[in-house]
Amino acid sequence: MTQDNSKSHIIYRGDILIVDDTPENLKFLSKTLAEQQYKVRSVTDGVMALRVAQAAPINLILLDVRMPGMDGYEVCSRLKQHENTKHIPIIFISALDDMIDKVKAFNVGGVDYITKPFHVEEVLARIETHITLEAAKTEILKLNSELENRVRQRTHQLEKEISARQQAQEQLLHLALHDALTELPNRVLFMKQLGRILEQSKQNSEHHFAVLLLDCDHFKVVNDSLGHVVGDRLLIAVARRIQTCLPPGVMLARLGGDEFAILIEEDTPHGDRALELASRIQTELGYPFQLGSQENFTNVSVGIVLSHQNYEQPEHLLRDADSAMYQAKARGKASQQIFDPRMYTQAIVRLQMETDLRRAIEREEFILYYQPIICLKTGKVAGLEALIRWEHPNQGLLLPGEFLPIAQDSDLMSQIDTWVLRQACLQLKHWQENKNLQDSIFMSTNLSVHNFLQGDITEKISNILIETGVSGHCLELEITEESIIRNPGRVNSILNELKNRNIKFSIDDFGTGYSSLSYLHQFSVDSLKIDRSFIESIVPNGSSTHNTQIAQTIVQLAENLHLSVIAEGIETREQLSVLEELDCTYGQGYYFSRPLPAEAALKFLMYCQQSG
Ligand code: C2E
Ligand code: CA
Ligand code: CA
C-alpha cells in the first residue's frame, strides 16, 4: 500500500495503528515500522483506538489483547460492527505468558496474531501480507463493482436496443399496412380485416356487413391539370372529410390512387347503414375544398356490396363492389349503387367496350355528324356542331352517350377529342375550298374537361389549325362549366392564348352545371348554349313556366355581358317562337335538323345558302 504524503514527500507503505498499554512495546513497534516506511499512529487504550480508527484512514491495526478497561477482543468486535472500520485487518498482540484465546480472536474478526517477544522479520512479514491482502481485497471489490456497473449499463443499453428494434419493427409493420399519403389503412390491412369479418359472418348468419368502394369523380383531371402535388393534397383532404362522416369503429382504407374503401357492420341484410353513410359522405364532399388559395371540387361514386353466405373470399366482395361502383359512375357523378349479380354481365360488356374503343381509335371507326346552328334573326345556317358517332363493327352506329363515359374513365378521351377537332377542321376546309362554303360559317366542336385542362392543349389546337389551314375565326370550341370551375386560373390563360388565334368559345349545357353566374364576366367566352332541358318544357303565349323564366334570365344575362346565346334542343315551332320573342340569337335542334352525316349536312348547307 502506498500513500503520498505531500508534506514530507515520503511514500508510505500504509497507515498502521498500534494499540498497546505497554509503552515499551509501543515504542519498539513504532520505531521498527516507521523505519520500514509505515505511517504509524499509536494509542494506549481501546476507547482511543476506536476514536482514531473512525477519524483517520487506517490500513491495519496491531491490537493488544490485554488492556485495562476495554480489552482487545472487545475493541476488535466493535470495530467490526462499524461500517467505516469493519474492513481494517486486525492483528492481535499477546505476551507469551498470557495465552491468547485464538478461537475468540478469529471469531471477533481478527486476521492474525503475534506473540511477544517480537521477531521483527515475522512481524513485518505478517503486516505486509495482511496489508497486501486487504489492498487486493479492496481492489477486487472495486473491480467487482465496476464490473457490476458495466453489466448494468450493458443491460440498460440492450434493453434500449431491444425496444428500439421493437419500435422499428412496429414502424415497419405500420408502414406495410398503411398508406403513406393519408396514413389510412391500406389495401393489405383492409383485405385482412375483410377476411376476418367474412369468417365471422360465416359462423353467424345474423352477422351482416357491407363494403363501400369510393372512387373520386374526375380525379384524373385534377392530377393532369393541377399537378400531383395538388392532387395529393386533395386526396388527403378528401380522406379527412370522409373520416368525419364515419361512425366510431368503422374502417376507412385507401386502396390506391383515388380509391377508398369502407367496411361497415350492418343490422339487417339490406345495407341501410351503408346507403345512409354513402349519402352522408357525398353530401359532405359536395362542399368545395379550399387548398391554399384555390377552390377544388371532387365527389365520389360509391359501389356497395352486401355480405352474403355465397362469398368465400374477400377479393370477391371487392370485385363486386368495383362493378357496382362502375355502375354508379355510369349514372353520373356522385351516385351510389348496391351490387346486383346481373352487373357481372354489364362489367364484362364494359370491359369489352373499352377494348373495342382502343381499337376503334386505331381503326378509325369514328365518324362525325354535323348539326346546323341557325341564326334566329335571319334563318340562315350560322355554324355546325360536330358530334361524334362510332360505327361499331357488331353493334352498329353508337351515340356518344354509349361510349364517351367509358372513354373518359379510361383516358382515351383526349385522343378522341383531338381526332374530332382535326376531322372537323379537315371537313370544313374541304367544304370551303371545294364547295364554296362561306367562311362566315363556323365549325363547333366539343372539348371534354379532360382534354381541356391538359398542358399542351393550346399547342395541339394551334397545330391542328396550321395543319388543316382553317383560320381561327371559323372555329368555336364548346367547353362545360365544369372545366372552368375546376381550375379557373388555368382556363383563363388557355382562353386568352387561343383568343389570339381568334378562336371562339361557348359554354355548353349552360345552366346544368355549377351555374355560378357570377364567374362569367371573368372569362373571355363568346356565347352560352342554353341546355336542352330548359328548352324542352317551354310553353308559349306568356304562360311563363319556370323553365321559360330561366331561358329568359340566361338570354338577359348574356345580353348584359355581350355574349350571344344558342338555344339547344329546339324541337317545335312553339319553342322557337318563345325563343324568338326572348330575342335569342341562335338555335339548334331537331326542329331545324338532326345531326347529319357529312354528305347530308352539306346538302342542308347548300339548300339554305340558295334559299337564303
Ligand atoms: P351536346 O354537346 O349538348 O350536344 C348536343 C346533343 O343534343 C347531341 O347529342 C344532339 O344530337 C342532341 N340534340 C340536338 N338537338 C336536339 C333536339 O332537338 N332534341 C334532342 N332530344 N336532342 C337534340 P349527341 O350527339 O348524342 O351527343 C351527346 C353529347 O355527347 C354531347 O352533348 C356532347 O356533350 C358529347 N359529345 C358529342 N360529340 C362529342 C365530341 O366529339 N367530343 C366530346 N368531348 N363530346 C362529344
Ligand atoms: Ca356541345
Ligand atoms: Ca349541349
Side-chain angles (χ1 to χ4, degrees):
M1 162 91 20
T2 59
Q3 196 165 28
D4 177 24
N5 187 316
S6 51
K7 260 187 199 163
S8 52
H9 299 289
I10 297 170
I11 308 228
Y12 288 111
R13 301 168 67 189
D15 279 71
I16 296 182
L17 174 63
I18 308 169
V19 189
D20 202 325
D21 61 324
T22 323
E24 300 84 68
N25 280 349
L26 276 183
K27 219 166 151 193
F28 172 74
L29 285 170
S30 295
K31 188 168 165 280
T32 317
L33 293 174
E35 279 167 10
Q36 294 297 319
Q37 257 92 53
Y38 287 104
K39 187 174 181 185
V40 181
R41 290 182 178 81
S42 42
V43 294
T44 49
D45 63 62
V47 178
M48 288 283 285
L50 292 175
R51 206 172 292 156
V52 174
Q54 279 296 340
I58 301 293
N59 299 114
L60 186 127
I61 298 175
L62 295 174
L63 182 56
D64 190 12
V65 175
R66 181 161 309 227
M67 291 182 292
M70 207 186 294
D71 71 2
Y73 301 123
E74 177 63 21
V75 175
C76 181
S77 77
R78 287 202 190 184
L79 284 167
K80 291 296 155 191
Q81 275 161 27
H82 208 285
E83 195 59 36
N84 291 349
T85 51
K86 68 179 184 193
H87 66 279
I88 305 173
I90 295 169
I91 300 176
F92 284 106
I93 309 169
S94 72
L96 196 55
D97 45 348
D98 25 84
M99 279 299 295
I100 180 166
D101 182 347
K102 293 172 199 159
V103 175
K104 192 170 178 188
F106 287 118
N107 272 347
V108 294
V111 290
D112 209 346
Y113 63 91
I114 13 183
T115 47
K116 297 177 234 182
F118 305 120
H119 287 281
V120 174
E121 283 80 20
E122 187 194 334
V123 171
L124 289 176
R126 283 179 196 253
I127 288 176
E128 167 112 35
T129 304
H130 286 292
I131 285 190
T132 317
L133 235 149
E134 180 53 30
K137 241 162 63 188
T138 315
E139 185 63 18
I140 285 173
L141 276 178
K142 206 176 100 197
L143 286 177
N144 231 349
S145 94
E146 249 170 48
L147 199 67
E148 269 171 22
N149 250 342
R150 240 182 272 170
V151 169
R152 213 171 298 129
Q153 270 174 9
R154 181 82 189 112
T155 315
H156 186 66
Q157 201 179 334
L158 269 176
E159 277 167 3
K160 265 190 3 204
E161 276 169 22
I162 288 171
S163 94
R165 203 171 310 146
Q166 272 169 348
Q167 239 176 338
Q169 256 163 3
E170 271 163 32
Q171 220 169 341
L172 274 179
L173 193 66
H174 184 89
L175 282 179
L177 297 178
H178 290 80
D179 162 47
L181 183 68
T182 59
E183 286 177 8
L184 292 175
N186 63 11
R187 179 183 288 267
V188 180
L189 185 52
F190 186 81
M191 293 314 274
K192 270 190 181 174
Q193 181 70 6
L194 185 53
R196 219 171 289 146
I197 205 165
L198 183 63
E199 257 334 286
Q200 284 167 15
S201 79
K202 284 207 161 304
Q203 265 141 41
N204 172 9
S205 60
E206 292 299 293
H207 188 215
H208 307 290
F209 67 92
V211 174
L212 292 84
L213 190 73
L214 300 81
D215 190 283
C216 294
D217 296 323
H218 298 324
F219 189 77
K220 198 178 170 323
V221 180
V222 176
N223 254 350
D224 288 350
S225 63
L226 301 178
H228 288 275
V229 177
V230 176
D232 283 355
R233 288 175 64 199
L234 185 57
L235 277 178
I236 294 172
V238 167
R240 296 290 167 271
R241 205 175 282 177
I242 295 175
Q243 273 176 320
T244 63
C245 303
L246 300 181
V250 171
M251 181 189 252
L252 169 68
R254 180 175 173 225
L255 300 188
D258 57 350
E259 241 181 32
F260 296 91
I262 294 174
L263 186 54
I264 187 170
E265 312 220 10
E266 290 280 357
D267 306 322
T268 67
H270 313 302
D272 300 330
R273 290 187 75 203
L275 282 168
E276 195 195 309
L277 179 60
S279 302
R280 196 181 323 148
I281 291 171
Q282 285 168 337
T283 308
E284 275 308 307
L285 294 181
Y287 302 106
F289 290 89
Q290 193 72 42
L291 300 181
S293 60
Q294 235 161 18
E295 262 196 354
N296 268 280
F297 295 85
T298 193
N299 213 314
V300 287
S301 300
V302 185
I304 300 172
V305 66
L306 305 176
S307 55
H308 191 280
Q309 292 301 310
N310 290 349
Y311 281 114
E312 292 297 338
Q313 285 178 32
E315 286 78 13
H316 294 165
L317 282 144
L318 208 61
R319 172 200 64 198
D320 291 348
D322 200 55
S323 304
M325 192 274 294
Y326 267 109
Q327 288 285 312
K329 276 241 150 137
R331 282 221 311 270
K333 288 167 287 183
S335 304
Q336 41 179 269
Q337 176 71 52
I338 292 190
F339 176 76
D340 174 323
R342 274 169 293 184
M343 286 176 188
Y344 274 135
T345 10
Q346 284 160 346
I348 289 165
V349 168
R350 214 197 111 82
L351 210 66
Q352 184 59 46
M353 186 81 122
E354 199 180 311
T355 317
D356 290 355
L357 251 182
R358 287 186 195 278
R359 258 207 318 254
I361 296 177
E362 292 157 24
R363 297 188 185 172
E364 304 216 358
E365 292 172 356
F366 297 119
I367 53 161
L368 290 183
Y369 273 41
Y370 301 91
Q371 188 176 34
I373 297 169
I374 309 293
C375 172
L376 300 186
K377 310 265 148 74
T378 63
K380 284 190 174 175
V381 177
L384 296 160
E385 179 176 2
L387 294 158
I388 194 168
R389 271 73 185 126
W390 179 10
E391 288 181 310
H392 192 282
N394 321 318
Q395 298 180 42
L397 195 70
L398 298 181
L399 290 173
E402 295 169 274
F403 60 90
L404 285 190
I406 298 172
Q408 258 152 14
D409 282 341
S410 52
D411 59 73
L412 294 165
M413 202 54 221
S414 75
Q415 285 181 62
I416 292 180
D417 273 351
T418 313
W419 180 85
V420 170
L421 185 62
R422 178 179 289 112
Q423 190 59 29
C425 286
L426 283 173
Q427 185 61 263
L428 185 69
K429 191 68 189 170
H430 175 73
W431 283 336
Q432 286 172 345
E433 287 190 339
N434 303 306
K435 309 288 174 184
N436 290 325
L437 187 73
Q438 298 160 7
D439 84 342
S440 61
I441 293 178
F442 64 86
M443 179 63 80
S444 196
T445 71
N446 296 281
L447 275 188
S448 75
V449 212
H450 294 69
N451 205 1
F452 194 66
L453 289 174
Q454 256 168 30
D456 56 350
I457 184 77
T458 48
E459 206 186 324
K460 249 189 205 167
I461 294 173
S462 300
N463 286 344
I464 289 175
L465 287 183
I466 294 165
E467 177 195 326
T468 57
V470 167
S471 54
H473 76 269
C474 297
L475 185 62
E476 181 163 305
L477 297 175
E478 302 188 8
I479 56 174
T480 58
E481 285 172 275
E482 198 190 343
S483 347
I484 294 183
I485 212 89
R486 287 249 165 234
N487 190 351
R490 172 119 180 80
V491 170
N492 222 348
S493 72
I494 295 174
L495 290 186
N496 289 331
E497 250 174 89
L498 291 171
K499 282 270 125 174
N500 291 334
R501 299 201 151 263
N502 298 318
I503 296 171
K504 288 195 281 293
F505 282 93
S506 61
I507 299 184
D508 207 353
D509 307 337
F510 189 77
T512 57
Y514 298 85
S515 287
S516 165
L517 300 177
S518 56
Y519 67 75
L520 266 183
H521 69 277
Q522 303 169 23
F523 296 93
S524 30
V525 294
D526 304 272
S527 51
L528 305 180
K529 297 190 82 171
I530 308 179
D531 190 68
R532 199 173 71 221
S533 55
F534 301 114
I535 310 299
E536 232 166 25
S537 50
I538 277 180
V539 183
N541 302 331
S543 60
S544 67
T545 63
H546 181 58
N547 277 345
T548 315
Q549 276 170 14
I550 291 177
Q552 190 173 8
T553 310
I554 295 174
V555 173
Q556 272 165 7
L557 170 83
E559 218 166 75
N560 292 342
L561 295 169
H562 307 292
L563 304 178
S564 53
V565 176
I566 304 168
E568 292 188 301
I570 304 176
E571 292 186 353
T572 64
R573 174 71 237 173
E574 287 74 23
Q575 290 165 347
L576 176 60
S577 307
V578 172
L579 289 162
E580 278 170 341
E581 238 166 77
L582 293 179
D583 232 6
C584 179
T585 347
Y586 300 104
Q588 180 182 355
Y590 294 171
Y591 176 73
F592 305 109
S593 166
R594 290 183 173 257
L596 303 167
E599 274 300 282
L602 179 67
K603 270 194 194 139
F604 187 92
L605 283 170
M606 291 302 138
Y607 173 78
C608 283
Q609 250 175 357
Q610 279 157 20
S611 67

